[in-house]
Structure formats: C-alpha cells, structure tokens
C-alpha cells in the first residue's frame, strides 16, 4: 500500500500506513493535508494516494521567504505534482489548520469525501506508526543483545516523538527519547508531545503510561527558523553524506544530526550507547540547489 513512498523513505511513511488505512475505512475519495513549501509529508501523502487511486490536495505555506524559483517548484513540490496532487500556496504565518478545514469543507459541499491529515501526519492515528517503530527498535536491540542509553531524533510536528515515547513507555523500556527540536520553543514543544502521547496511549489502551518527565526536547539546534539549517546542520549534511552515504534533509534530520554530533562531542554519550533515528527525507535537497556550489559545498542562505 505504501511502497511508492517507501522508495524515498522519510518518517512520514510510517505514519501514513495507519492514516491511509483509516482514510479507506472511512470511505474517503480525497486526502487533504498541509505543510511548508518543501514538505516531506506532502509528497509522501501524494505518493500513497496515487497508489490507492485517491485524489490529493496539499496546502503549502511559505515558512522561509525564499524566492528562489527552484525552491518553490523543485524537490518535494515537483514530486507532489508528479504524483497527481493539486497544491494551493499561502504566505507565512497563516493558520493552516483553519485554512485546510475551510478548503476541505468546500470540497465536501461539492460532494467529495475528504479525509484530512494534520501537518506531518501528527495525530494519535499517525503516531501509531512510531509506536510500532519503538517496538521494532526494542526487538532489534534485544535480538542483538545490545543496551542503549538514549534514542535521539529530530522532532517537529511531534508525531514521531509522540509514537516513540508512547511505545517505549508501553514496553517499560526505560530508554529515554530525546527530541532535537527544529522550530518550536522547548516548553511548547514538550507540552505538545506530552498531550498527544497521552491521547495516543489512551487510543492503544494504556492510559496514564506516559508521564511528563518522559518527554524531553532540546531546542539548541533549530537555527533561525523552519527550513533554515544552521551552520551545525550544514556540517551534519556534509558529514553524513561524505562519511556514511546518507542524505539528510535541511529542515529536520540535519538539525537532529547536528544535535547528536554536538552532544557526542560534549561527552553526553560517554558512558552509554546512543542511537540516532534517521527520519529522512532527501527529496527536499533538490529545492536547495541555490545554496550549494558546483562541488557540493554550502554557499549561504
């Protein structure tokens, strides 16, 4: 069902496995979602709907102010359209959930059965994808006879961290999950993750399993804003590409990796094994060509 999206990876694919099942169960003929111009979630949603024969409409918000034509038409935007999705653009600072509900209601009046997915696929249904991921991590760790002290990843819309925290708590793993925030201030991000984790745990039948102290977010590596990678993020992109053959995206995984690298240098993992959960997705790099020179070195934003 989600094979096309899996070809490019990205953490949103795990969420979409559950979200698309729910859309089909509800008899939807159109899926609608929203995100930033280079939203990874948007193009993976479009890929999934294409494979299922559903229509897809994506609301895109300009969160960077980049005027480069390639940023606004290449990368994930190109993939949105290749998969047959329609898109609608909005300037920054819009209330996108409200705009999306308005657009969905217009379609419903026209007779469409619209299934709405929040930005990033981050709700209790989508979070189930990362509850499952937490179970997979624990199974692999146990099978290998390993012991890990911390699980580190990038956190934004919150669904990934919500699922990981809920899954780890449901299994009583005692493994802390550290989210490296990409935009939202720490108190707000932690509260958002905690609230959604409580809802997800209840959906699973484990109410109360997640406590406030289980939610940890470090927001030191978010840079100047959404979609704008700091210098440490650029270093992470180059390091992972040159040393591991892994392509980080400028918005999420680069910032998460930057946090991992800096914390390791500071000795945070000296007495423990830290695991970095790579959330993808490389497609957004195609929209940032203006920021690299001919040798692949970062120029400036």
């Amino acid at each position: 069902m989600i094979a096309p999206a899996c070809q490019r990876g990205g953490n949103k694919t795990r969420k979409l496995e559950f979200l698309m099942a729910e859309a089909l169960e509800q008899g939807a003929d159109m899926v609608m979602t929203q995100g930033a111009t280079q939203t990874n979630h948007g193009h993976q949603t479009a890929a999934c709907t294409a494979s299922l024969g559903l229509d897809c409409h994506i609301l895109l918000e300009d969160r960077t102010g980049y005027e480069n034509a390639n940023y606004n038409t290449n990368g994930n935007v190109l993939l949105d359209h290749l998969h047959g999705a329609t898109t609608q653009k909005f300037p920054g600072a819009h209330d996108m959930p409200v705009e999306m509900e308005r657009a969905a209601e217009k379609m419903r009046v026209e007779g469409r059965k619209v299934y709405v997915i929040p930005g990033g696929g981050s709700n209790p249904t989508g979070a189930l994808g990362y509850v499952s991921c937490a179970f997979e991590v624990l199974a692999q760790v146990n099978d290998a006879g390993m012991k890990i002290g911390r699980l580190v990843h990038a956190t934004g819309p919150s669904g990934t961290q919500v699922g990981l925290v809920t899954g780890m708590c449901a299994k009583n793993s005692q493994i802390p999950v550290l989210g490296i925030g990409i935009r939202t201030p720490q108190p707000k991000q932690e509260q958002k993750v905690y609230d959604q984790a409580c809802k997800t745990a209840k959906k699973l039948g484990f109410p109360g399993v997640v406590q406030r102290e289980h939610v940890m977010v470090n927001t030191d590596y978010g840079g100047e804003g959404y979609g704008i990678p700091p210098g440490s993020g650029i270093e992470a992109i180059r390091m992972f590409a040159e040393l591991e053959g892994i392509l980080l995206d400028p918005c999420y995984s680069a910032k998460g990796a930057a946090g991992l690298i800096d914390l390791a240098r500071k000795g945070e993992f000296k007495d423990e094994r830290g695991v970095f959960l790579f959330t993808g997705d490389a497609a957004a790099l195609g929209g940032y060509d203006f920021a690299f020179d001919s040798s692949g070195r970062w120029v400036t934003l």
Side-chain angles (χ1 to χ4, degrees):
M1 181 175 74
I2 58 172
C6 286
Q7 292 172 8
R8 291 178 296 277
N11 65 326
K12 307 305 189 296
T13 309
R14 283 183 176 272
K15 301 173 186 177
L16 286 164
E17 182 173 3
F18 290 85
L19 291 163
M20 288 297 158
E22 187 169 83
L24 292 175
E25 183 180 46
Q26 294 181 11
D29 59 20
M30 170 180 277
V31 172
M32 187 176 294
T33 193
Q34 59 92 4
T37 301
Q38 284 292 333
T39 169
N40 298 324
H41 165 67
H43 101 247
Q44 291 183 59
T45 300
C48 289
T49 55
S51 70
L52 294 170
L54 303 175
D55 288 337
C56 181
H57 184 66
I58 308 169
L59 281 65
L60 302 176
E61 180 188 14
D62 177 14
R63 296 178 188 168
T64 65
Y66 294 155
E67 297 181 356
N68 181 272
N70 211 30
Y71 176 82
N72 289 285
T73 60
N74 203 343
N76 282 311
V77 181
L78 173 63
L79 296 177
D80 294 341
H81 296 150
L82 281 176
H83 290 307
T86 54
T87 58
Q88 186 177 357
K89 290 190 175 183
F90 294 84
H94 261 65
D95 189 331
M96 294 303 287
V98 169
E99 293 290 354
M100 185 163 60
E101 191 51 46
R102 182 179 293 128
E105 187 55 33
K106 180 180 178 181
M107 293 293 184
R108 290 175 182 132
V109 169
E110 296 175 2
R112 304 304 302 270
K113 296 179 180 179
V114 184
Y115 179 79
V116 173
I117 300 177
S122 296
N123 62 14
T125 298
L128 295 178
Y130 269 87
V131 171
S132 175
C133 178
F135 293 170
E136 288 179 33
V137 170
L138 290 173
Q140 291 174 19
V141 168
N142 291 334
D143 288 347
M146 295 171 56
K147 182 178 181 180
I148 60 175
R150 205 173 331 182
L151 183 62
V152 183
H153 69 102
T155 183
S158 80
T160 298
Q161 188 169 14
V162 166
L164 291 173
V165 169
T166 304
M168 290 297 181
C169 289
K171 289 287 189 179
N172 193 29
S173 70
Q174 305 298 312
I175 298 175
V177 176
L178 174 63
I180 304 297
I182 61 101
R183 178 175 64 158
T184 307
Q186 182 183 21
K188 184 176 180 180
Q189 181 72 11
E190 288 188 342
Q191 190 62 47
K192 179 169 65 172
V193 172
Y194 174 65
D195 290 343
Q196 287 295 313
C198 289
K199 293 178 182 178
T200 303
K202 184 177 180 180
K203 186 180 184 73
L204 281 170
F206 297 104
V209 73
V210 179
Q211 301 300 312
R212 181 61 181 81
E213 60 266 24
H214 293 140
V215 179
M216 295 174 287
V217 176
N218 182 320
T219 55
D220 294 342
Y221 307 95
E224 296 182 9
Y226 187 96
I228 306 175
S232 59
I234 305 310
E235 179 192 21
I237 290 174
R238 290 175 54 187
M239 183 181 294
F240 273 60
E242 294 175 0
L243 300 180
E244 300 292 341
I246 294 174
L247 297 175
L248 305 177
D249 83 279
C251 183
Y252 291 94
S253 57
K255 294 181 180 183
L260 175 80
I261 293 167
D262 188 58
L263 292 173
R265 286 172 174 166
K266 291 177 178 178
E268 286 284 333
F269 307 110
K270 185 177 181 180
D271 299 318
E272 66 184 48
R273 186 191 300 271
V275 172
F276 180 63
L277 189 111
F278 173 51
T279 52
D281 177 354
L285 285 170
Y288 283 79
D289 68 314
F290 64 97
F292 294 89
D293 63 21
S294 59
S295 63
R297 301 296 177 179
W298 193 265
V299 180
T300 181
L301 289 179

